């Protein structure tokens, strides 16, 4: 048994505190990772605050994990001690269902095992990356390319793959007009990746406060959604819209910005339902879709794509004592553009 230092939360309104958690002894195919950096995803906040349903506390969030392999189980073949690796939002799946066999483990028909707030195959609750160590079966570990530093790699494991996957699936490419709603952690990755895929990229943010950053990340256009003229001006424009907003928005207004056969993909996951008016879809044969992270193979593909195109998130590295403050800032849309915890401060 390995005892890891961690930061845990005891309830929806509770602050983070120092904790110790147990990590299992290495099974045949397990990899022990010494975590160096962990990103803060808005999903951590939704979960810690109990917004998505009941949670077993104490909870250690964190599913943007970057670190180094420090031990391997006897049958591990993919990784060795010293390898730079990452772990994202899931740590296991059945491996046998149709979706797992396709490499879409996130859509495992028996349910994937989430990195935290889940239960693993040993019947133990899973605890996430705000901790010094984690044990993960090798099939759910990915390799971090040499030219991406570990602090910058961490957010790619969720924000990167969650935006890469729908951009890839719905074909962001030269000649396609892509809009990104919300310029936070996911949003700024969506802009960088869509730009690298060759699409014409527009940011739709609440204000113009972050315009300079958005254009620097690769956006061609930037509009404030607080300005009602934006919706008139851009009506019927986009082939693909990626909505990354963590709160309820007027989805019909955004659907009106799609072209004939355009698709709006919701990756933002507010607890509150959105009010969909079907006429927003019917009129121009539009689609409203969702997408959840990405499979392991695609996550490795995304990391390699980012390495090749020199794409890294813009991060603000914080200490373990600053998690509560970082949560407040994310909730106030004051994140530029991902907080990453330096685990050595734990
Ligand atoms: P984030 O960094 O907080 O970014 C969200 C952005 O949405 C904010 O920066 C802000 O951008 C905009 N926003 C926030 N509140 C708003 C409001 N009331 N009205 C309009 N815009 C608002 O969050 P994140 O980590 O990118 O995550 C975004 C969402 O995706 C969360 O709900 C998260 O749970 C979800 N998520 C889903 C998946 C998946 O697999 N589908 C994976 C990861 C995360 P502006 O300031 O530019 O307006
Ligand atoms: Zn996430």
């Amino acid at each position: 048994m390995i005892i890891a230092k961690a930061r845990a939360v005891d309830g929806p309104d509770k602050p983070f505190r120092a904790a110790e958690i147990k990590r299992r002894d290495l099974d045949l195919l397990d990899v022990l990772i010494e975590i160096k950096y962990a990103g803060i995803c808005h999903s951590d906040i939704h979960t810690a605050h109990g917004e998505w349903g009941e949670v077993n506390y104490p909870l250690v969030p964190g599913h943007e994990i970057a670190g180094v392999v420090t031990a391997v189980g006897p049958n591990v073949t993919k990784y060795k001690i010293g390898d730079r690796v990452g772990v994202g939002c899931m740590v296991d799946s059945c491996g046998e269902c149709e979706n797992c066999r396709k490499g879409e483990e996130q859509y495992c028909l028996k349910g994937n095992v989430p990195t935290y707030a889940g239960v693993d195959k040993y019947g133990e609750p899973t605890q996430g990356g705000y901790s010094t160590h984690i044990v993960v079966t090798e099939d759910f570990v990915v390799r971090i390319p040499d030219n991406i530093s570990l602090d910058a790699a961490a957010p790619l494991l969720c924000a990167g793959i969650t935006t890469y996957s729908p951009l890839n699936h719905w074909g962001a490419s030269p000649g396609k007009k892509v809009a990104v709603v919300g310029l936070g952690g996911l949003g700024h990755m969506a802009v960088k990746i869509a730009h690298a895929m060759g699409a014409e990229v527009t940011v739709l943010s609440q204000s113009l406060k972050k315009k300079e950053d958005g254009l620097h990340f690769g956006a061609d256009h930037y509009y404030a959604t607080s300005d009602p003229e934006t919706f008139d001006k851009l009506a019927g424009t986009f082939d693909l819209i990626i909505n990354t907003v963590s709160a309820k928005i007027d989805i019909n207004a955004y659907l009106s910005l799609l072209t004939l056969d355009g698709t709006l993909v919701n990756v933002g996951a507010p607890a509150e339902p959105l009010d969909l008016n079907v006429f927003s879809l019917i009129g121009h044969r539009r689609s409203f879709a969702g997408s959840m992270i990405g499979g392991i193979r695609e996550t490795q593909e995304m990391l390699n794509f980012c390495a090749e195109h020199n794409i890294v998130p813009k991060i603000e590295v914080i200490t373990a004592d600053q998690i509560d403050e970082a949560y407040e800032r994310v909730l106030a849309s004051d994140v530029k553009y991902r907080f990453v915890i330096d685990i050595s401060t734990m």
Side-chain angles (χ1 to χ4, degrees):
M1 178 113 40
I2 300 133
I3 302 291
K5 284 195 254 176
R7 290 297 154 120
V9 67
D10 293 318
D13 310 313
K14 295 286 192 294
F16 277 88
R17 63 168 171 87
E20 287 191 339
I21 54 172
K22 291 173 190 156
R23 298 299 193 183
R24 65 173 180 262
D25 287 327
L26 298 191
D27 208 336
L28 298 178
L29 291 169
D30 279 344
V31 172
L32 173 64
I33 300 166
E34 185 180 322
I35 301 175
K36 301 290 189 189
Y37 294 95
I40 293 181
C41 176
H42 206 120
S43 300
D44 300 351
I45 304 178
H46 291 304
T47 309
H49 289 177
E51 290 167 23
W52 284 347
E54 230 169 90
V55 184
N56 285 324
Y57 299 99
L59 171 80
V60 177
H63 58 206
E64 295 187 333
I65 298 170
V68 175
V69 174
T70 53
V72 294
N75 291 358
V76 167
T77 57
K78 295 181 179 164
Y79 298 100
K80 59 179 193 320
I81 292 172
D83 283 354
R84 300 161 79 249
V85 294
V87 176
C89 302
M90 53 184 173
V91 287
D92 211 350
S93 73
C94 84
E96 289 166 359
C97 73
E98 199 184 330
N99 295 350
C100 283
R101 284 201 314 260
K102 278 187 199 150
E104 304 273 20
E105 302 89 351
Q106 72 279 30
Y107 304 121
C108 174
L109 294 172
K110 292 186 180 154
N112 72 62
V113 179
T115 304
Y116 61 82
V119 177
D120 66 19
K121 65 181 170 203
Y122 307 93
E124 296 295 325
T126 58
Q127 297 286 17
Y130 299 1
S131 62
T132 53
H133 298 81
I134 191 166
V135 174
V136 181
T137 189
E138 66 171 350
D139 282 347
F140 284 77
V141 176
V142 289
R143 192 174 293 284
I144 294 172
D146 289 339
N147 64 339
I148 302 181
S149 62
L150 290 180
D151 53 356
L156 298 177
L157 278 307
C158 176
I161 184 60
T162 302
T163 50
Y164 178 90
S165 185
L167 288 166
N168 196 25
H169 184 81
W170 276 277
S173 54
K176 290 282 165 71
K177 291 184 178 171
V178 174
V180 175
V181 190
L183 195 69
L186 267 57
H188 94 294
M189 286 312 305
V191 170
K192 287 181 177 230
I193 293 169
H195 173 70
M197 288 175 171
E200 183 179 333
V201 184
T202 299
V203 174
L204 301 172
S205 178
Q206 292 168 96
S207 73
L208 295 179
K209 273 191 273 185
K210 296 179 273 189
K211 181 173 179 181
E212 206 177 310
D213 289 345
L215 298 179
H216 177 71
F217 296 149
D220 301 283
H221 318 281
Y222 201 105
Y223 291 90
T225 53
S226 52
D227 178 355
E229 272 184 31
T230 293
F231 290 89
D232 293 338
K233 205 181 286 174
L234 298 177
T237 299
F238 302 107
D239 301 293
L240 179 62
I241 299 176
I242 308 284
N243 174 24
T244 75
V245 175
S246 48
K248 181 177 177 175
I249 56 172
D250 176 4
I251 204 68
N252 301 298
Y254 291 86
L255 287 167
S256 75
L257 307 184
L258 289 172
T259 57
L260 177 68
D261 288 326
T263 301
L264 188 157
V265 184
N266 221 87
V267 292
E272 206 183 339
L274 302 176
D275 299 321
L276 174 70
N277 178 343
V278 294
F279 290 100
S280 305
L281 302 175
I282 289 172
H284 294 78
R285 201 165 54 199
R286 293 167 174 140
S287 300
F288 181 44
S291 182
M292 189 171 77
I293 48 173
I296 298 298
R297 190 174 55 219
E298 195 178 31
T299 302
Q300 188 65 60
E301 180 186 305
M302 174 277 306
L303 286 166
N304 299 346
F305 178 91
C306 289
E308 191 184 323
H309 293 269
N310 288 313
I311 294 175
V312 283
K314 185 161 174 16
I315 57 171
E316 193 172 327
V317 177
I318 61 165
T319 67
D321 289 335
Q322 293 175 302
I323 298 172
D324 293 306
E325 195 186 314
Y327 274 31
E328 289 305 318
R329 285 186 51 197
V330 172
L331 288 170
S333 298
D334 178 27
V335 52
K336 288 189 173 163
Y337 281 83
R338 198 57 142 186
F339 290 108
V340 173
I341 307 163
D342 177 351
I343 298 297
S344 72
T345 62
M346 210 156 265

